[in-house]
Amino acid sequence: MISREQIEKNQVWIYATTLILAAGIGLLLPQFSAKLDHLISFVLAALMFGMFTQIPFFRLKEALANRHFIYALLVMNYIAVPVLVWGLTRFISGDVSLLLGVFLVLLAPCIDYVIIFTYLGRGDEKLILISTPLLFVTQMILLPIYLWIFMGGQAMEIVSVGPFFEAFLGLIVVPLVLALLTQWWAKHQSRGERFLDATAWIPVPFMALALFVIVASQISKVYTSLELIVQVIPIYIAYMAITPFIARIISRIFRLETGAGRALVFSGGTRNSLVVLPFALALPDPINGLASAVIVTQTIVELVGELIYIRLVPKVLLREKDSISAK
């Protein structure tokens, strides 16, 4: 019988296989794949619940204990990354859909599979795990602010409060509240603890299912908008190539240990595509189609980049003998 630990250790390859399968089905069976649109909200809501139950929201005080790492994490994701994204997007044409899609996905740090990538890259995944509540709260607050700074009134004209609020309520708030109640239940009753343990099976299968549903249903939009999409692919590649070196510099500034420095690299390079996708889908037509395709494209590029990260980060960029704290 396959254990949960085995599934989690092999989840990168599960996701890669799912992406290939989804892209093939999406392109070969477009009429069938288009119907999967209706499943996205349900699958994402279930995935968010599963992921939120694994985030230690009641250990936020513990996360704040490692102040050097927290300061480095905040500087990396909310100062260095926005500056880098601003610079890279100067090369995009003035298409609002492209810009909005890129800003949505690159300005939001990942809170889910970044943990397993950090583990595979021999980083301190526990630091990332206990920091996820802080990252989640801060990005929900700061993302609208950065959109306003980068796009001004242009973003306000596109973004309708109603659909955004519905997406935020249904796909973020409700799963979050249910997850918090589950964690509280687990702290007070053994039955709740068993249920919380059972929810640990949700993230990987539903992540794969979410990737399948999203990519299969949206890949045709990527294909039909390929002339525009090709503008963002070099930006995504450049982003993943540059952020590790910025993270290394910040790690040195804050004198992080090697494991923490690697964790910072993965946090900076991994983005929150699945969480921000509902916001893109909530945009008015036809902007939502291209913006969501831009986000899906980033997911595909990122997965390839992560496979490179988990090899180069521990062996080249931040080796054990290069312990940052020792310098």
Side-chain angles (χ1 to χ4, degrees):
M1 184 176 178
I2 299 176
S3 67
R4 180 166 57 85
E5 287 74 20
Q6 289 175 310
I7 293 175
E8 289 178 347
K9 287 182 179 179
N10 291 284
Q11 62 182 287
V12 175
W13 302 109
I14 293 173
Y15 300 153
T17 304
T18 301
L19 282 175
I20 295 170
L21 182 64
I25 292 176
L27 292 173
L28 295 174
L29 302 171
Q31 292 183 335
F32 165 76
S33 301
K35 297 177 182 178
L36 296 176
D37 260 342
H38 304 294
L39 296 176
I40 292 178
S41 294
F42 170 77
V43 173
L44 282 178
L47 172 62
M48 291 299 116
F49 170 72
M51 290 193 307
F52 288 154
T53 56
Q54 306 311 304
I55 294 176
F57 287 103
F58 294 107
R59 291 168 60 189
L60 186 57
K61 185 177 180 180
E62 182 182 340
L64 297 175
N66 191 331
R67 293 187 178 182
H68 283 278
F69 179 73
I70 290 300
Y71 293 155
L73 193 68
L74 295 176
V75 168
M76 180 69 204
N77 282 297
Y78 300 122
I79 296 179
V81 165
V83 171
L84 174 62
V85 171
W86 173 257
L88 291 175
T89 52
R90 299 309 90 200
F91 299 97
I92 298 181
S93 66
D95 191 286
V96 177
S97 304
L98 286 179
L99 280 172
L100 193 54
V102 171
F103 286 144
L104 278 172
V105 72
L106 290 187
L107 292 173
C110 184
I111 58 169
D112 38 72
Y113 52 73
V114 64
I115 299 166
I116 187 61
F117 286 133
T118 303
Y119 167 76
L120 293 173
R122 300 178 192 174
D124 193 336
E125 77 279 6
K126 293 179 182 178
L127 279 177
I128 290 293
L129 176 62
I130 62 177
S131 300
T132 47
L134 182 64
L135 282 178
F136 174 71
V137 172
T138 49
Q139 68 183 267
M140 289 296 107
I141 295 172
L142 293 174
L143 185 57
I145 296 174
Y146 278 121
L147 288 178
W148 179 78
I149 292 173
F150 289 169
M151 300 186 70
Q154 202 174 24
M156 299 303 104
E157 291 173 6
I158 298 169
V159 176
S160 299
V161 176
F164 258 60
F165 179 76
E166 290 177 11
F168 182 72
L169 183 66
L171 299 177
I172 302 295
V173 176
V174 172
L176 176 61
V177 170
L178 292 175
L180 289 172
L181 290 173
T182 300
Q183 291 184 8
W184 180 86
W185 184 26
K187 287 181 68 175
H188 293 85
Q189 291 187 18
S190 58
R191 190 182 302 175
E193 187 175 0
R194 289 194 296 271
F195 180 76
L196 182 62
D197 289 340
T199 63
W201 285 86
I202 295 177
V204 176
F206 271 83
M207 179 74 76
L209 182 59
L211 286 172
F212 177 83
V213 170
I214 290 167
V215 172
S217 63
Q218 305 298 315
I219 194 68
S220 59
K221 297 176 183 177
V222 175
Y223 183 74
T224 55
S225 306
L226 202 55
E227 291 184 5
L228 292 172
I229 295 292
V230 291
Q231 294 184 52
V232 302
I233 294 176
I235 290 173
Y236 292 151
I237 295 173
Y239 178 87
M240 295 211 72
I242 295 170
T243 48
F245 297 98
I246 296 176
R248 180 183 169 90
I249 293 171
I250 294 174
S251 296
R252 288 184 177 277
I253 292 172
F254 287 93
R255 301 184 63 82
L256 300 183
E257 295 180 354
T258 303
R262 292 171 181 167
L264 190 67
V265 171
F266 281 94
S267 180
T270 315
R271 301 289 88 189
N272 215 358
S273 56
L274 293 183
V275 171
V276 299
L277 183 63
F279 299 145
L281 294 172
L283 294 169
D285 291 325
I287 294 174
N288 58 359
L290 184 54
S292 59
V294 167
I295 291 173
V296 170
T297 302
Q298 189 275 338
T299 303
I300 297 171
V301 172
E302 181 178 272
L303 183 60
V304 176
E306 295 289 351
L307 296 176
I308 298 172
Y309 270 25
I310 60 179
R311 286 165 175 77
L312 293 186
V313 170
K315 293 182 179 179
V316 178
L317 188 68
L318 286 172
R319 295 173 295 178
E320 286 295 342
K321 66 179 181 179
D322 296 331
S323 180
I324 297 171
S325 60
K327 296 193 175 184

